[in-house]
Amino acid sequence: MDKILEVTDLITRFHTFDGVVHALSGVSFHLYRGETLGVVGESGSGKSVTMMSLLHLLAAPPARIEGGRALYFGDNGPLDLLGLDTAGISRIRGGRMGFIFQDALSALNPVMTVGRQISETLVEHLGMTTARAWNRSVQLLDYVGIPEPGKRAAAYPHQFSGGMRQRAMIALAIACQPRVIIADEPTTALDVTVQAQIIDLVLRLKSEMNMSVIWITHDLGVVAGIADRVMVMYAGTVVETAPVDDLFYRPAHPYTIKLLGALPKIGQAGNYRLESIDGTPPDLLEKPSHCQFVWRCDHAGDRCWQDIPQNREISPGHQAACFFPFTDKGVR
Amino acid sequence: MKGEPLISVQKLTKHFPFRKGWIFSRKAGAVRAVDGISFDIFKGEILGVVGESGCGKSTAGRVILCLEPPTSGKVILDGRNITRLDRASIRKLRPRMQMIFQDSYASLNPRHCIGSIIGEPLRIHTRNTRQQIRTRVMELLDLVGLNPNHYNRFPHEFSGGQRQRINIARALSLNPRFLVCDEPISALDVSIQAQVINLFQDLQKELGLTYLFIAHDLSMVQHISDRVAVMYLGKIMELTTRERLFANPLHPYTQSLISAIPIPDPEKERKRVRILLNDEVPSPANPPDGCVFNTRCPIAGPQCRLLEPESRMIFPDHVVVCHKADRNNGSLITDSTAPL
């Protein structure tokens, strides 16, 4: 399969008054054309920072991208996103890669009608006239399932309900037919019934428009339903990447295993205890010098305290950053 | 259900009137946050309440704890109606019932050390000496799994899960019998959620507590509750044991809610069919006529738009408010979607 995005050794740090926050310490992953990559991890694990680093969305200072490469394979050959200037990244952002944020109310401009916000993108990226862009915006709102799109295009974001706002933002993200959609916890603030509607919508759009999707979430249930491959992040590193079935049925990294154990089993009634992960994620103010999960790991050996584990292939397409991963043979 | 009810809620209603106009304002209507709910909570039981945002589950919890007066209806605690009491009498009830809120940070005073926060109920409600209070706070910190040496630390020095433990310790300081937990884990990460849920279960066994557990996460509610009430637009749609609710849901709303829970199992996810509800929840200020769910219901008929359904007990321990629900309508959910 063709890659559309390849990120190698991305290092992002925040220089704050308290010291240097090691938000990302060498993140590598790739995205194939037409696939959905689920990115899971707890808050502070670096899921959002990774994607925002790629599109230059982090405020600098305090953020500084201190290493790595992010190749985007467009029609005109590979392009390093990290090396682009403001004009260059503006063409990618919104044009080639669309971003759906978690909080639609603060992501949309409160003093501009929804239709105008979408038109603005179209005028900017595709050079449409204002009138044509407005008509196209109405079509887009209709396409994402907003009733009475002509009327709603003239409304302001606060006049939309939570689910409708999320739909409007999706319309904005797909306006220029991007190749890649990055969805950053787009359903976390929504109710389950509305969440199901939005997931349905994004998957429909993905297949109709032939896009690749990166879906950031902390909900492993959502990932199981939509992702082709899953990447698990912990404390600024990628700890495991695998096809979705491998990740859920044959997890290799102790963190993934514990994360899956911490979920209540649907349909399994009875009084069993959830397997909690003791302790808390590490303080990112300290420069990592060993495995970041070592404090909470039941199986850590001496080596885990001395070296940083690199991602190693466990089976085709399945990688884990652990010195003692669980494998099919049960050998650690 | 075993035993006698600790709390009995009868036709409880809470309306928030809103006014129109500025100078000559007049009553324009009311948001019917809670609209005639009735249920019992038995001693030592965990009753889960689920529903989408705006369905009135938090308001119900607040009214039951006398944090707000009801518009009508009764809450009976140990045989005594507690809804029309004066402030002093309510205050006397406080040690017996406590609340744990969703936002663990906003519910702790940032300028007090946690020892003083947890000890505050003891200072107000008991005549214990400072030394006695200190000892009790140490005990409580130990009980909820915090280090008693952190007595003098401030809330910002703790993580989200630890702060929720502080809230739990404070709620337990007066040995309450009844706790209302309003989305206590929804702001926490998965691995921390499991810690806090286990703590709730341990405390219940150890201290014989009774919980009203409000949440929107059905899988956690299923894990912790003995019985579950499903709310929609201020009304209870279905109330039954968790086994029955998840194995044999009778109300179409419950069925669609359960079908929308993401299951962390790729094969089950691929096989199942979601019942997608159209639209969104109507405004509680202007609920639809007839059954409140009829605007989104996939099987609504003419009588659903005209008549409000009565609450019916279809099986022992299984109450459902729907015209169309009967003993064997598993029809909405096909076998492949049943989570079992």
Side-chain angles (χ1 to χ4, degrees):
Chain A
M1 266 196 291
D2 266 358
K3 286 177 190 171
I4 187 146
L5 196 63
E6 181 165 33
V7 177
T8 0
D9 266 331
L10 182 63
I11 297 172
T12 301
R13 299 196 176 115
F14 291 92
H15 295 261
T16 66
F17 286 119
D18 292 333
V20 180
V21 178
H22 299 264
L24 301 180
S25 343
V27 168
S28 305
F29 69 97
H30 53 263
L31 178 70
Y32 294 115
R33 267 175 219 279
E35 79 163 345
T36 306
L37 174 71
V39 182
V40 289
E42 299 178 63
S43 32
S45 61
K47 332 182 270 295
S48 300
V49 173
T50 304
M51 303 309 156
M52 291 171 86
S53 298
L54 298 185
L55 292 183
H56 302 211
L57 287 172
L58 293 169
R64 211 188 293 163
I65 298 170
E66 302 193 344
R69 218 169 41 145
L71 294 182
Y72 168 77
F73 299 96
D75 303 331
N76 313 322
L79 198 65
D80 188 356
L81 297 176
L82 302 179
L84 291 176
D85 57 7
T86 316
I89 196 71
S90 295
R91 273 196 295 279
I92 298 284
R93 232 176 4 206
R96 294 273 147 250
M97 296 170 83
F99 212 107
I100 305 172
F101 295 89
Q102 175 179 353
D103 184 356
L105 188 59
S106 50
L108 294 167
N109 187 339
V111 294
M112 251 169 116
T113 63
V114 171
R116 249 192 81 198
Q117 294 186 52
I118 302 174
S119 310
E120 195 187 28
T121 318
L122 294 165
V123 172
E124 187 67 31
H125 285 286
L126 304 180
M128 286 189 184
T129 60
T130 322
R132 243 192 92 203
W134 181 268
N135 287 335
R136 180 91 182 113
S137 309
V138 175
Q139 279 171 11
L140 280 163
L141 289 175
D142 189 32
Y143 190 51
V144 297
I146 289 182
E148 301 182 75
K151 222 164 105 188
R152 301 304 278 169
Y156 290 89
H158 72 268
Q159 295 168 308
F160 282 54
S161 69
M164 286 299 149
R165 263 198 301 267
Q166 205 54 269
R167 281 173 194 271
M169 197 155 64
I170 292 170
L172 183 59
I174 62 163
C176 303
Q177 306 197 350
R179 295 295 167 79
V180 180
I181 283 279
I182 299 174
D184 188 356
E185 308 237 9
T187 58
T188 306
L190 304 174
D191 285 313
V192 271
T193 55
V194 183
Q195 165 170 291
Q197 292 170 9
I198 297 291
I199 290 175
D200 226 47
L201 171 68
V202 175
L203 292 187
R204 194 194 89 207
L205 296 176
K206 182 200 153 216
S207 64
E208 285 178 8
M209 300 175 63
N210 198 17
M211 297 183 298
S212 311
V213 176
I214 297 179
W215 191 292
I216 303 176
T217 178
H218 62 261
D219 188 336
L220 283 156
V222 172
V223 162
I226 62 163
D228 300 311
R229 287 191 311 129
V230 185
M231 161 165 124
V232 182
M233 293 192 69
Y234 185 79
T237 53
V238 178
V239 293
E240 186 161 6
T241 315
V244 65
D245 285 17
D246 281 351
L247 191 98
F248 281 89
Y249 303 132
R250 290 172 287 280
H253 197 283
Y255 175 64
T256 316
I257 294 167
K258 288 204 155 195
L259 206 55
L260 290 167
L263 297 172
K265 320 275 177 295
I266 299 280
Q268 206 183 87
N271 288 313
Y272 61 96
R273 274 176 78 81
L274 297 173
E275 296 161 39
S276 62
I277 312 181
D278 293 336
T280 48
D283 188 352
L284 295 173
L285 280 168
E286 271 170 52
K287 188 172 166 51
S289 59
H290 51 71
C291 173
Q292 289 284 64
F293 188 61
V294 68
W295 295 277
R296 304 170 84 184
C297 186
D298 297 335
H299 307 278
D302 289 344
R303 208 174 155 199
C304 308
W305 288 99
Q306 286 151 8
D307 264 334
I308 300 175
Q310 299 300 318
N311 268 293
R312 285 190 303 161
E313 188 117 308
I314 304 245
S315 59
H318 187 169
Q319 295 183 317
C322 180
F323 292 120
F324 308 107
F326 284 82
T327 58
D328 278 347
K329 294 151 206 136
V331 184
R332 291 173 47 78
Chain B
M1 195 69 202
K2 67 268 167 183
E4 46 190 308
L6 176 70
I7 296 237
S8 179
V9 176
Q10 294 171 4
K11 296 199 171 136
L12 193 68
T13 310
K14 177 72 188 175
H15 292 180
F16 294 101
F18 56 86
R19 309 178 80 85
K20 262 190 182 152
W22 184 48
I23 297 172
F24 301 104
S25 68
R26 64 202 147 77
K27 253 194 189 166
V31 173
R32 301 172 172 210
V34 175
D35 208 10
I37 58 172
S38 306
F39 56 84
D40 292 335
I41 307 175
F42 296 93
K43 280 181 186 155
E45 177 186 49
I46 303 182
L47 178 70
V49 179
V50 292
E52 295 175 272
S53 39
C55 73
K57 48 192 195 304
S58 295
T59 308
R62 297 175 63 89
V63 175
I64 290 167
L65 280 194
C66 304
L67 292 175
E68 275 172 67
T71 307
S72 68
K74 281 190 225 169
V75 177
I76 291 168
L77 173 72
D78 277 340
R80 179 171 168 220
N81 184 356
I82 57 169
T83 44
R84 299 274 172 241
L85 297 179
D86 56 67
R87 288 179 70 118
S89 323
I90 288 179
R91 199 163 179 165
K92 282 200 191 111
L93 283 174
R94 284 277 169 252
R96 296 162 68 181
M97 35 195 232
Q98 288 286 326
M99 187 150 183
I100 292 163
F101 298 92
Q102 173 177 2
D103 188 338
S104 62
Y105 194 57
S107 43
L108 297 173
N109 187 333
R111 290 168 193 276
H112 285 212
C113 70
I114 63 160
S116 130
I117 290 174
I118 298 171
E120 193 171 13
L122 295 164
R123 286 198 297 278
I124 294 171
H125 288 283
T126 68
R127 290 167 185 274
N128 290 354
T129 62
R130 285 170 109 179
Q131 196 47 50
Q132 282 171 321
I133 290 177
R134 199 180 167 88
T135 318
R136 172 80 181 132
V137 171
M138 296 286 195
E139 274 172 32
L140 286 163
L141 283 173
D142 191 47
L143 180 71
V144 298
L146 290 170
N147 186 344
N149 297 332
H150 292 170
Y151 188 96
N152 288 318
R153 293 204 181 172
F154 288 86
H156 72 263
E157 295 176 72
F158 294 89
S159 68
Q162 289 173 319
R163 282 199 291 260
Q164 206 52 287
R165 288 171 193 265
I166 298 168
N167 276 306
I168 295 169
R170 176 175 59 185
L172 293 176
S173 61
L174 294 164
N175 290 319
R177 298 165 59 199
F178 178 56
L179 279 182
V180 172
C181 312
D182 189 0
E183 306 246 11
I185 52 158
S186 35
L188 305 176
D189 275 317
V190 182
S191 70
I192 312 292
Q193 278 186 355
Q195 293 175 5
V196 176
I197 284 284
N198 285 341
L199 175 64
F200 273 121
Q201 283 185 318
D202 294 345
L203 290 173
Q204 195 231 1
K205 283 199 198 95
E206 230 166 281
L207 308 172
L209 297 171
T210 304
Y211 295 131
L212 181 70
F213 196 90
I214 300 169
H216 64 264
D217 180 347
L218 279 126
S219 49
M220 275 299 175
V221 166
Q222 183 212 15
H223 179 75
I224 197 171
S225 311
D226 296 309
R227 289 190 304 147
V228 183
V230 179
M231 281 188 76
Y232 184 79
L233 275 185
K235 293 180 195 291
I236 289 182
M237 296 279 118
E238 188 161 5
L239 173 60
T240 183
T241 61
R242 65 136 175 240
E243 287 85 6
R244 289 206 64 85
L245 189 87
F246 284 86
N248 185 20
L250 293 178
H251 198 286
Y253 180 58
T254 317
Q255 294 179 352
S256 68
L257 269 188
I258 292 176
S259 89
I261 316 174
I263 305 176
D265 185 331
E267 245 167 60
K268 284 184 185 164
E269 274 285 319
R270 276 193 285 268
K271 270 193 242 151
R272 70 148 153 204
V273 185
R274 286 215 163 82
I275 304 169
L276 280 186
L277 294 180
N278 301 324
D279 305 332
E280 286 170 32
V281 187
S283 159
N286 186 20
D289 290 336
C291 172
V292 284
F293 185 56
N294 82 64
T295 52
R296 300 175 82 196
C297 183
I299 55 166
Q303 91 257 41
C304 304
R305 285 183 263 279
L306 288 172
L307 288 173
E308 204 184 318
E310 299 268 306
S311 160
R312 291 187 292 155
M313 190 176 282
I314 291 199
F315 291 98
D317 264 350
H318 197 154
V319 173
V320 62
V321 186
C322 176
H323 289 301
K324 301 217 161 183
D326 58 51
R327 278 169 176 268
N328 5 307
N329 84 334
S331 57
L332 252 177
I333 289 190
T334 55
D335 288 336
S336 60
T337 61
L340 274 173

